[in-house]
Amino acid sequence: ESMIEIELKPGETLCKQGEVSTDIYLLKDGKLEVFVRDHRGREKMVSEISAKHSIFGEFGAILKKPRGASVHAAQRSVVQKIDTKNKGLDETILGQPKLGLSISHNLARYLKDTNVRLSQYTQLLNDIRAAAEGALRFYFQKTKFMGDLHDKNKAPWAKTIFDKAKLHPCYAMGETVSKGQEAIVGETASAAQVLTSPEIPSDPANVKEFNAGEVIGKQGEEGRNFFILQSGLLEIQVGGRKVSEVKEKGAIIGEVAVLVGIATKKFEARSATIIAREPSAVTVIESSSLESLIGAHPQLMLFITKVLSARLAGTNQAFVVDDEKIAKYLALMDASSPDSKTVINAFDLLRINIQSAAKDKPETDGFVEEIQTKSSDLKEDADSLQNRYDELCRKWRTI
């Protein structure tokens, strides 16, 4: 392959989401910003690249897919382009497995960080959704009470309140929530790409047999080796709870911790426990022997880089999906928004209609105060959740 140096001016684009390219890049100097476009075509910055010698752009090149993100220069920057189109990236890594190992080190670090970021955004999304859906459910129930009151007592004033309040979009959303469904349904992340593992001749000394119920790797222990499943069924547990199963022959488990450990010279604790659910055979790859192994079997290095790229692409897409939902829920609860479709606006509408049409009615005694309290609580929750979101955005700006 050939190395080409590119100088970028502030604001200049290095590569665009959706374009096909076999190039990968190395940052020599400067700072770059990574943007991902959502399904509406709006760009959102998801990370910055500022560490010298960072390798990036490898996802599309490795998976032979269109670019998953756009990269713009935040300031004057110098980038080296590794042009692989003549030989092809597969051939480049097979010929230079150490380049693949270097790429995988970066991918593993990114993947570790993006997994943590995604879990934090998902937790925040769950909290935001709970607050919004609680308010929507309240609005639906209070409005429906008016409709039921009219049906029961033929009270025209209750019908007046109901007919006006049910026209607000929050009524239909509250009805959806009351049925146990999500109020806001966004795009869904694509299913993970299934990759076929290469046939790696196994050294019998490295293949271990496990009986059903035996622990292969334990959460909390230092992750100095990873595993390739040869046969059987493995269960992944976090905190004693099953989170997934692994049954595909050639599947790799635990490689991120090992690759990050090799790159940082610090092996961290395993984040999960691996248990054989039926008699299983796995190849155990020690961190100390990885470099000699890929030298003998470079196709393993190519496979690892593809697996990591596919996982990272999926994690990034899941993050964009969650982030878009967070924005929609926060907008729905925004008390300062001029939009008439917010929950606060719905509460105001219901309160005004009750004060107007049901003044001194015993059936609505305390309703106005209850709505005002709910509205005040929602404003506080929305402000707190918005602050948490802003803090997460600042925290993860540079991954």
Side-chain angles (χ1 to χ4, degrees):
E1 84 284 1
S2 57
M3 300 280 281
I4 302 170
E5 193 163 284
I6 301 172
E7 184 172 329
L8 299 168
K9 297 175 182 176
E12 197 170 351
T13 300
L14 176 65
C15 57
K16 292 182 179 180
Q17 182 175 344
E19 68 183 8
V20 178
S21 176
T22 57
D23 302 327
I24 56 180
Y25 304 96
L26 186 146
L27 179 64
K28 290 190 69 179
D29 191 35
K31 183 169 72 172
L32 307 171
E33 294 176 336
V34 182
F35 288 81
V36 174
R37 190 173 59 248
D38 65 20
H39 70 287
R40 291 184 180 178
R42 298 171 301 187
E43 279 198 333
K44 176 176 180 60
M45 196 183 85
V46 296
S47 65
E48 290 178 350
I49 303 169
S50 56
K52 286 188 178 182
H53 309 302
S54 293
I55 295 176
F56 60 97
E58 60 275 67
F59 317 133
I62 291 168
L63 297 175
K64 296 184 173 64
K65 283 192 165 188
R67 294 284 183 204
S70 299
V71 179
H72 309 297
Q75 60 189 51
R76 179 194 169 277
S77 303
V78 179
V79 171
Q80 275 192 327
K81 180 173 74 171
I82 304 174
D83 184 1
T84 65
K85 64 185 176 184
N86 294 325
K87 292 176 62 179
L89 187 62
D90 289 13
E91 289 76 9
T92 300
I93 293 178
L94 289 173
Q96 298 185 53
K98 285 188 177 181
L99 172 62
L101 183 58
S102 178
I103 291 172
S104 291
H105 286 162
N106 285 287
L107 287 171
R109 286 199 295 263
Y110 293 151
L111 184 57
K112 178 189 170 188
D113 285 345
T114 50
N115 280 335
V116 173
R117 176 179 67 168
L118 179 60
S119 69
Q120 292 179 356
Y121 271 77
T122 300
Q123 180 59 56
L124 176 60
L125 171 59
N126 290 339
D127 293 345
I128 290 173
R129 182 164 53 211
E133 292 186 347
L136 290 169
R137 192 179 294 109
F138 173 85
Y139 180 77
F140 170 73
Q141 290 170 346
K142 292 301 179 187
T143 301
K144 187 175 183 297
F145 173 82
M146 295 299 170
D148 293 343
L149 191 63
H150 171 260
D151 292 342
K152 183 179 178 181
N153 298 336
K154 304 301 178 188
W157 58 268
K159 185 176 188 303
T160 299
I161 296 171
F162 175 71
D163 286 345
K164 290 181 179 179
K166 75 175 182 180
L167 294 177
H168 196 282
C170 285
Y171 178 80
M173 296 174 77
E175 185 175 22
T176 298
V177 170
S178 296
K179 294 176 181 177
Q181 301 169 6
E182 278 192 54
I184 294 176
V185 180
E187 296 288 302
T188 56
S190 303
Q193 183 179 0
V194 178
L195 301 170
T196 304
S197 63
E199 289 292 335
I200 305 297
S202 296
D203 183 342
N206 293 335
V207 177
K208 293 188 178 180
E209 304 277 349
F210 293 88
N211 295 319
E214 278 195 89
V215 174
I216 297 170
K218 192 172 184 180
Q219 184 176 355
E221 70 182 8
E222 206 173 57
R224 284 185 172 270
N225 50 31
F226 65 92
F227 313 99
I228 302 175
L229 180 62
Q230 300 300 331
S231 63
L233 174 66
L234 307 180
E235 180 175 298
I236 312 299
Q237 296 183 353
V238 175
R241 183 174 63 88
K242 175 182 174 181
V243 295
S244 63
E245 285 185 349
V246 179
K247 58 184 177 182
E248 296 81 12
K249 183 180 184 298
I252 301 179
I253 310 104
E255 78 286 2
V256 171
V258 171
L259 288 165
V260 171
I262 293 173
T264 62
K265 305 295 189 294
K266 181 183 177 182
F267 291 90
E268 297 184 359
R270 293 195 189 283
S271 60
T273 294
I274 308 163
I275 298 175
R277 270 292 151 243
E278 60 184 46
S280 304
V282 300
T283 300
V284 181
I285 308 295
E286 300 286 344
S287 58
S288 57
S289 63
L290 179 59
E291 193 165 326
S292 60
L293 181 65
I294 64 170
H297 306 292
Q299 63 270 41
L300 174 62
M301 193 67 261
L302 178 60
F303 177 62
I304 291 173
T305 57
K306 288 187 175 184
V307 167
L308 291 170
S309 291
R311 288 179 184 171
L312 187 52
T315 302
N316 277 334
Q317 188 187 16
F319 161 73
V320 171
V321 169
D322 275 7
D323 190 65
E324 188 173 339
K325 280 189 179 181
I326 286 173
K328 288 180 178 179
Y329 276 114
L330 287 175
L332 184 66
M333 295 188 291
D334 186 0
S336 63
S337 172
D339 192 341
S340 63
K341 296 178 182 179
T342 66
V343 186
I344 298 296
N345 176 268
F347 284 170
D348 288 343
L349 173 68
L350 184 58
R351 175 181 53 78
I352 291 169
N353 285 331
I354 290 175
Q355 288 174 324
S356 173
K359 188 176 181 180
D360 300 327
K361 299 290 183 184
E363 295 92 338
T364 62
D365 185 41
F367 267 35
V368 170
E369 292 78 8
E370 193 178 352
I371 292 168
Q372 287 175 328
T373 298
K374 195 73 175 178
S375 181
S376 177
D377 289 346
L378 181 62
K379 288 176 182 177
E380 285 187 18
D381 288 344
D383 286 343
S384 174
L385 291 165
Q386 180 69 57
N387 289 336
R388 280 178 59 190
Y389 176 64
D390 292 342
E391 181 58 34
L392 272 187
C393 289
R394 286 191 290 270
K395 177 181 179 181
W396 291 109
R397 182 180 175 89
T398 58
I399 71 163

